[in-house]
């Protein structure tokens, strides 16, 4: 029996990228498919998540708590929480999305992807390249062909800040 | 060497995000990199995008109208509309388009809109020439009274040509035509037809087999009703409305809406709604499971709300019997390069 218990509730420690520790009830992390498998199969009590920033982890834990409290009567409240949850700078939203994908929290992943899609839908090609750090692999000839054929693609919202 | 992939997001997350974008954004953003360009054009991505979760907001209305320009000359126009508010008002999403390659004579009464099927909508004209097509589409059987022989041709998208169906050995009923009578549903094209009585003839596109389905028991070919096929609550739905060309018989002025609860099961017809006498020229489609689009006898587009029983008129009209509607959502499915057809239209 590896995990410690207080009464009936099992406690688990998550270690963020900067070694900050988060202690929470095991039942909360079961929403993550990845952590669920770790807990069930390996019976660990402390899980290091070096690739996830503590700041990101704080946000995700906040979501897990809210989601665990979701009932039919506070559905509206939860929806508002979700809206606020993704109302962060784009860079942070991308960090959260990557972490949620890694942790396999499916419902939240869908919600985050939709939020990212909403934020980039009107952006120009150049802006999207910068936001996602994509280097174009078109040849210069192909690129100039595109600019001629679909000049509007390179217009749109030029704001590439991830803030 | 640039690889065209994101240094921020894993590829699968990138795809989850992209499938949530509308077609306009995707067409723009595929210029981001060759990798993205290839992904967005792949049939895998196109299928995912087609099956993405959508809401009522993603649904659009394709409206075809025809106007009479001279006694036997018509002009057809396509409008792309979306609904604003729940108490719908229709606004265009893009400018109207002329469709010059459809027949322009009086026979444009036979125009149909089929689909969408895998993201494509088929326009057919009076000679049943398929203008745009996805996969394979059946052509109504030609009934030649002199030779008493059936000829069925199917347009095959893969070979881009018409192909005779040689295994049609069954006796097919005669097709009967109504404005809203050709429908694509569950992989099959549906028409009305008669032998001794009126029935629904289906042609399954994957098996290329014809089937007959019975109408509800109370439907009588001789009671002066016209028929239309639509989809309601995801079920095949039959609309029986009074023939607009004649004075309805006593007790036959109502319009009935029947749902086939279990597709293909003749006994599963259920009468869902009965509508008060309205000046219906033809039914067109049911939108959001409660708004019945109709063309009124004066040619106007109207809706009848199946729940509130309210009627709303729109400032959109066409020549009687010539309005058509398809409800669709945006898709990335490319229109196949029908070289034969295309050159035929260019000549």
């Amino acid at each position: 029996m590896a995990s410690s218990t207080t009464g009936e509730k099992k406690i688990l420690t998550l270690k963020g990228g900067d070694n900050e520790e988060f202690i929470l009830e095991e039942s909360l992390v079961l929403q993550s498919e990845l952590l669920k498998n770790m807990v069930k199969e390996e019976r660990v009590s402390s899980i290091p998540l070096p690739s996830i920033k503590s700041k990101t982890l704080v946000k995700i834990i906040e979501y897990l708590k809210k989601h665990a409290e979701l009932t039919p009567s506070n559905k509206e409240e939860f929806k508002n929480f979700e809206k606020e949850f993704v109302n962060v700078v784009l860079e942070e939203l991308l960090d959260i999305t990557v972490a949620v994908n890694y942790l396999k929290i499916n419902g939240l992943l869908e919600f985050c992807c939709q939020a990212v899609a909403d934020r980039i839908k009107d952006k120009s090609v150049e802006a999207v390249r910068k936001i996602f750090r994509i280097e174009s692999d078109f040849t210069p000839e192909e690129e100039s062909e595109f600019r001629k054929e679909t000049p509007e693609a390179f217009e749109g919202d030029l704001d590439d800040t991830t803030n | 060497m640039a690889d065209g992939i994101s240094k921020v997001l894993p590829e699968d997350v990138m795809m989850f995000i992209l499938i949530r974008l509308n077609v306009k954004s995707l067409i723009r953003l595929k210029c981001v990199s060759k990798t993205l360009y290839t992904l967005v054009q792949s049939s895998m991505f196109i299928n995912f995008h087609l099956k993405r979760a959508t809401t009522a907001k993603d649904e659009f209305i394709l409206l075809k109208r025809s106007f009479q320009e001279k006694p036997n000359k018509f002009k057809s126009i396509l409008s792309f509309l979306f609904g604003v508010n729940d108490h719908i008002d229709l606004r265009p999403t893009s400018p109207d388009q002329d469709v010059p390659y459809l027949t322009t004579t009086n026979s444009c009464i036979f125009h149909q809109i089929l689909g969408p099927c895998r993201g494509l909508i088929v326009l057919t004209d009076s000679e049943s020439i398929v203008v745009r097509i996805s996969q394979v589409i059946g052509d109504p059987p030609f009934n030649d009274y002199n030779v008493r022989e059936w000829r069925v041709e199917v347009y095959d998208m893969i070979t881009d040509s018409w192909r005779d169906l040689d295994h049609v050995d069954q006796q097919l009923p005669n097709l009967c035509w109504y404005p809203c009578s050709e429908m694509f549903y569950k992989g099959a094209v549906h028409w009305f037809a008669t032998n001794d009585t009126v029935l629904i003839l289906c042609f399954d596109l994957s098996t290329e087999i014809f089937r007959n389905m019975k109408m509800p028991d109370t439907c009588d070919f001789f009671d002066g009703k016209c028929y239309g096929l639509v989809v309601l609550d995801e079920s095949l739905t039959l609309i029986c409305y009074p023939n607009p060309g004649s004075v309805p018989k006593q007790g036959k002025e109502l319009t009935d809406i029947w749902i086939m609860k279990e597709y293909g099961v003749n006994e599963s017809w259920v009468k869902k709604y009965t509508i008060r006498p309205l000046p219906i020229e033809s039914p067109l489609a049911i939108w959001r499971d409660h708004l019945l689009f109709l063309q009124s006898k004066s040619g106007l587009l109207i809706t009848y709300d199946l729940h509130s029983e309210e009627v709303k008129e729109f400032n959109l009209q066409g020549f009687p019997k010539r309005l058509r509607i398809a409800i669709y959502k945006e898709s990335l499915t490319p229109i196949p390069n029908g070289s034969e057809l295309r050159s035929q239209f260019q000549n």
Side-chain angles (χ1 to χ4, degrees):
Chain A
M1 178 84 196
S3 46
S4 46
T5 51
T6 43
E8 292 298 305
K9 286 172 185 166
K10 287 185 188 171
I11 295 298
L12 191 79
T13 308
L14 296 182
K15 237 186 244 177
D18 17 27
N19 272 328
E20 202 174 324
E21 293 192 348
F22 301 90
I23 299 167
L24 61 163
E25 282 173 30
E26 192 189 275
S27 62
L28 278 183
V29 305
L30 299 183
Q31 296 177 58
S32 147
E33 288 295 318
L34 178 91
L35 299 181
K36 187 171 147 187
N37 286 340
M38 284 179 150
V39 171
K40 296 263 155 161
E41 281 166 26
E42 295 167 36
R43 298 181 166 269
V44 288
S45 60
S46 170
I47 298 176
L49 297 165
S51 64
I52 304 177
K53 289 179 200 159
S54 290
K55 191 184 173 196
T56 310
L57 210 47
V58 169
K59 281 285 276 183
I60 294 175
I61 292 170
E62 187 192 348
Y63 175 90
L64 293 178
K65 284 182 180 160
K66 273 277 176 200
H67 190 256
E69 291 164 7
L70 176 65
T71 59
S73 59
N74 63 14
K75 233 176 166 176
E76 269 316 300
E77 192 192 320
F78 183 74
K79 267 191 186 162
N80 290 335
F81 165 77
E82 272 190 317
K83 254 185 231 159
E84 273 309 304
F85 182 81
V86 291
N87 190 13
V88 291
V89 294
L90 191 49
E91 191 185 0
E92 199 182 335
L93 180 60
L94 293 177
D95 280 345
I96 295 172
T97 309
V98 172
V100 166
N101 176 58
Y102 175 71
L103 294 170
K104 295 199 173 71
I105 309 171
N106 292 335
L108 181 57
L109 178 61
E110 279 172 33
F111 192 76
C112 288
C113 287
Q114 185 62 55
V116 177
D118 291 342
R119 297 273 275 269
I120 62 157
K121 67 180 197 306
D122 297 319
K123 300 267 184 211
S124 71
V125 165
E126 291 291 359
V128 169
R129 280 178 186 160
K130 285 211 178 126
I131 290 165
F132 293 133
R133 287 175 43 215
I134 297 174
E135 258 179 273
S136 166
D137 50 354
F138 286 119
T139 62
E141 293 78 31
E142 286 169 329
E143 176 98 23
S144 66
E145 194 63 30
F146 269 132
R147 284 181 188 265
K148 246 190 280 166
E149 267 177 30
T150 47
E152 67 279 8
F154 295 85
E155 291 157 10
D157 184 354
L158 289 167
D159 179 14
D160 56 19
T161 50
T162 46
N163 301 321
Chain B
M1 178 77 193
D3 54 9
I5 58 171
S6 173
K7 305 286 181 298
V8 181
L9 297 174
E11 269 179 272
D12 48 351
V13 177
M14 195 70 193
M15 195 171 91
F16 290 154
I17 293 168
L18 291 174
I19 57 167
R20 288 173 164 79
L21 291 171
N22 63 23
V23 170
K24 205 174 148 199
S25 299
L26 281 171
I27 286 173
R28 194 173 67 238
L29 295 186
K30 71 182 180 186
C31 304
V32 164
S33 73
K34 203 182 259 184
T35 312
L36 225 67
Y37 187 87
T38 315
L39 173 73
V40 169
Q41 300 216 40
S42 68
S43 52
M44 184 248 326
F45 186 86
I46 290 170
N47 278 333
F48 270 125
H49 189 259
L50 200 58
K51 289 179 189 143
R52 72 197 187 280
T54 48
T55 61
K57 267 195 236 156
D58 300 302
E59 277 191 347
F60 300 95
I61 294 164
L62 173 67
L63 171 73
K64 190 186 98 39
R65 294 176 280 167
S66 297
F67 301 98
Q68 194 170 29
E69 292 186 309
K70 287 176 197 161
N72 195 22
K73 183 142 172 61
F74 287 79
K75 178 188 170 137
S76 296
I77 288 178
L78 291 179
S79 304
F80 306 86
L81 309 167
F82 69 101
V84 226
N85 308 330
D86 273 347
H87 257 332
I88 55 155
D89 188 17
L90 297 177
R91 304 239 179 98
T93 62
S94 52
D96 286 355
Q97 272 187 24
D98 281 2
V99 237
Y101 34 76
L102 288 173
T103 45
T104 57
T105 62
N106 203 20
S107 61
C108 77
I109 195 170
F110 297 110
H111 291 177
Q112 296 287 357
I113 296 183
L114 266 181
C117 167
R118 297 185 203 181
L120 291 182
I121 290 173
V122 180
L123 292 173
T124 60
D125 75 3
S126 56
E127 289 146 58
S128 300
I129 290 172
V130 175
V131 177
R132 283 180 179 180
I133 200 152
S134 108
Q135 294 298 55
V136 234
I137 278 288
D139 189 33
F142 298 114
N143 183 8
D144 187 332
Y145 288 97
N146 295 322
V147 278
R148 279 265 159 219
E149 193 178 79
W150 296 103
R151 185 174 167 224
V152 179
E153 284 179 296
V154 168
Y155 178 75
D156 195 320
M157 203 179 82
I158 296 153
T159 60
D160 182 28
S161 59
W162 290 93
R163 163 165 65 80
D164 266 315
L165 268 198
D166 44 14
H167 62 264
V168 185
D169 45 9
Q170 71 201 95
Q171 187 71 21
L172 294 174
N174 296 325
L175 284 189
C176 38
W177 182 87
Y178 300 102
C180 181
S181 60
E182 196 175 36
M183 194 187 64
F184 179 77
Y185 175 74
K186 290 213 191 245
V189 186
H190 298 71
W191 305 276
F192 291 104
T194 56
N195 40 27
D196 300 332
T197 174
V198 65
L199 48 84
I200 296 168
L201 177 69
C202 322
F203 180 71
D204 191 296
L205 293 184
S206 54
T207 60
E208 300 193 343
I209 288 172
F210 284 97
R211 278 176 295 127
N212 292 338
M213 291 195 298
K214 277 191 189 160
M215 303 270 271
D217 285 340
T218 55
C219 284
D220 179 355
F221 190 43
F222 303 102
D223 66 2
K225 287 280 170 90
C226 289
Y227 304 108
L229 286 173
V230 293
V231 176
L232 172 60
D233 295 335
E234 293 176 10
S235 304
L236 183 75
T237 300
L238 170 71
I239 301 179
C240 307
Y241 60 103
N243 186 342
S246 59
V247 181
K249 292 177 197 163
Q250 191 80 38
K252 302 280 182 195
E253 339 45 14
L254 300 176
T255 295
D256 292 324
I257 297 186
W258 295 81
I259 285 191
M260 195 175 217
K261 282 262 185 203
E262 211 174 315
Y263 180 65
V265 178
N266 293 328
E267 294 72 32
S268 69
W269 285 110
V270 174
K271 196 193 280 187
K272 182 106 185 197
Y273 298 100
T274 297
I275 301 173
R276 66 176 189 266
L278 289 173
I280 300 175
E281 181 65 47
S282 71
L284 300 169
I286 293 180
W287 194 37
R288 296 182 180 174
D289 283 335
H290 70 110
L291 290 166
L292 171 61
F293 278 110
L294 303 159
Q295 182 171 25
S296 73
K297 283 188 182 172
S298 55
L300 274 180
L301 178 70
I302 59 174
T303 52
Y304 172 85
D305 190 320
L306 294 170
H307 297 162
S308 70
E309 303 185 1
E310 255 174 86
V311 174
K312 185 176 159 68
E313 275 187 5
F314 294 91
N315 193 18
L316 289 159
Q317 62 175 325
F319 205 77
K321 287 194 171 66
R322 282 151 180 92
L323 286 192
R324 298 288 181 274
I325 275 185
I327 313 282
Y328 71 98
K329 58 183 190 182
E330 289 185 332
S331 91
L332 290 163
T333 319
I335 295 165
N337 284 339
S339 52
E340 192 186 290
L341 274 175
R342 195 163 279 189
S343 54
Q344 197 179 320
F345 287 121
Q346 278 165 355
N347 291 336

